[in-house]
Amino acid sequence: MNLKVRHSLEYQYNFPVVLEMHTLYLYPRSYPHQRLLEYNLFIDPQPSKIVKNIDVEGNVQHLIYFYNQPYNKLFVDASITVSSEPVNVFDFVFYPFETSKIPFLYDNRIYKYLIPYLDKTDATQQVEQFARKLAAHVNYATIPFLVEMSQHISQNFVYQDREYGKAYPPDDTLRDRSGSCREFARLFIGACRSLGIAARFVSGYLYGNPQQAHELHAWAEVFLPGAGWRGFDPTEGKAVINNHISMGTSADYDQLAPVMGSFLGYTTSRLTTHVDIQLLQD
């Protein structure tokens, strides 16, 4: 199916400011099942220079430079059309097969590349206990554990819409039994890493859920031997099929904001965002 996303962000400043370099993560990642068909980016005020890069984790980023003069606003609008084909997350063979049970060790050849995605900063004692309890329920089988945890978070935690600010620590999410999609993804990732499964944060969009239809979405991907990176959405309680549009992935939960930058001046700012996702007819 073909999906069209329009994502606009407008920053309004009470007093004129000088805009420094801004980084945009508003360009979809490339996957075997996700292909970019059309892309348009509009920025007001007009930048003095736009540089399109690939960052250290393989995401496309735009570096935006502005003229050295005062502005009262910054408006960014990205229009994206992608072809998203169905993908079966479970259609693979564990290699080596011993990794179908957790905990397991990655082969040394790939372990060195996965070190950032195994960081255990969020893998607290409470998070590990949470993960081990769910793993024991499915006899420590790798795929059933990932499915069980996705469903458990979706069914037993209360979703809260919180578009701005950093994602709360997993211990807070466990204590309150509630959170946004970013909190659920952060908890899922911390729990995976507590049992030695490499996991990363994904930022993008979700088609088909009215609750998520007009905002940025977040989920997780895990690296499985024989399969590579596979997506799981603890907000939805499902594996990723073809209604998720990935815009960026990171070992960190706070490095993929659509627009990141700073300005020079003394002022307050107000951000207005809008996301619209449509299914295009063939």
Side-chain angles (χ1 to χ4, degrees):
M1 65 180 178
N2 293 343
L3 297 172
K4 183 173 184 178
V5 179
R6 183 175 180 183
H7 189 171
S8 63
L9 307 96
E10 184 172 23
Y11 296 83
Q12 294 181 329
Y13 309 104
N14 288 351
F15 298 97
V17 300
V18 174
L19 297 171
E20 297 194 307
M21 189 271 288
H22 280 58
T23 302
L24 273 55
Y25 283 104
L26 284 168
Y27 194 96
R29 283 184 67 94
S30 177
Y31 286 84
H33 64 278
Q34 177 176 294
R35 181 167 53 92
L36 179 65
L37 300 178
E38 185 178 355
Y39 184 82
N40 291 288
L41 179 64
F42 174 78
I43 302 171
D44 182 27
Q46 183 176 353
S48 62
K49 189 174 185 61
I50 300 178
V51 180
K52 185 187 292 185
N53 290 338
I54 301 294
D55 75 6
V56 70
E57 295 186 272
N59 306 299
V60 175
Q61 61 177 197
H62 290 85
L63 302 184
I64 312 298
Y65 298 87
F66 298 92
Y67 295 100
N68 187 26
Q69 62 188 61
Y71 299 106
N72 289 304
K73 73 171 184 177
L74 170 61
F75 179 75
V76 179
D77 184 275
S79 180
I80 306 153
T81 303
V82 299
S83 172
S84 183
E85 302 298 327
V87 57
N88 184 352
V89 168
F90 311 111
D91 184 21
F92 71 96
V93 177
F94 278 104
Y95 189 82
F97 187 71
E98 291 75 15
T99 56
S100 63
K101 289 278 193 174
I102 49 178
F104 60 79
L105 297 177
Y106 290 99
D107 182 89
N108 287 336
R109 182 181 59 85
I110 61 174
Y111 172 78
K112 60 184 178 181
Y113 302 113
L114 294 175
I115 290 174
Y117 308 100
L118 290 163
D119 178 83
K120 293 194 174 184
T121 301
D122 278 347
T124 63
Q125 182 178 358
Q126 289 81 2
V127 169
E128 183 173 351
Q129 289 175 349
F130 168 74
R132 289 190 177 277
K133 182 177 180 180
L134 294 176
H137 189 254
V138 293
N139 198 29
Y140 286 88
T142 303
I143 287 295
F145 163 68
L146 297 169
V147 173
E148 174 82 3
M149 181 161 58
S150 297
Q151 294 177 347
H152 180 87
I153 294 173
S154 177
Q155 296 170 6
N156 295 279
F157 289 60
V158 177
Y159 177 80
Q160 291 184 333
D161 185 8
R162 199 174 65 83
E163 199 169 345
Y164 307 115
K166 287 187 177 182
Y168 294 146
D171 281 355
D172 291 1
T173 305
L174 281 175
R175 181 195 63 221
D176 299 336
R177 310 293 288 182
S178 66
S180 68
C181 57
R182 292 176 298 138
E183 271 98 41
F184 293 165
R186 188 176 175 185
L187 170 60
F188 185 95
I189 291 167
C192 286
R193 293 178 181 180
S194 75
L195 299 183
I197 301 175
R200 66 185 183 183
F201 186 89
V202 189
S203 178
Y205 309 101
L206 171 62
Y207 171 74
N209 183 334
Q211 194 173 49
Q212 304 291 334
H214 299 291
E215 58 188 43
L216 203 63
H217 189 52
W219 61 97
E221 288 180 347
V222 298
F223 192 89
L224 302 174
W229 292 105
R230 300 286 167 133
F232 291 86
D233 187 342
T235 302
E236 289 279 283
K238 301 175 182 177
V240 170
I241 302 174
N242 72 326
N243 54 343
H244 291 71
I245 301 173
S246 173
M247 301 297 286
T249 66
S250 179
D252 301 311
Y253 65 89
D254 59 354
Q255 297 298 311
L256 294 172
V259 178
M260 295 184 288
S262 57
F263 58 80
L264 299 176
Y266 295 95
T267 186
T268 58
S269 63
R270 181 165 62 94
L271 171 62
T272 304
T273 66
H274 180 74
V275 174
D276 183 60
I277 309 172
Q278 297 179 359
L279 174 64
L280 300 182
Q281 300 299 323
D282 295 332

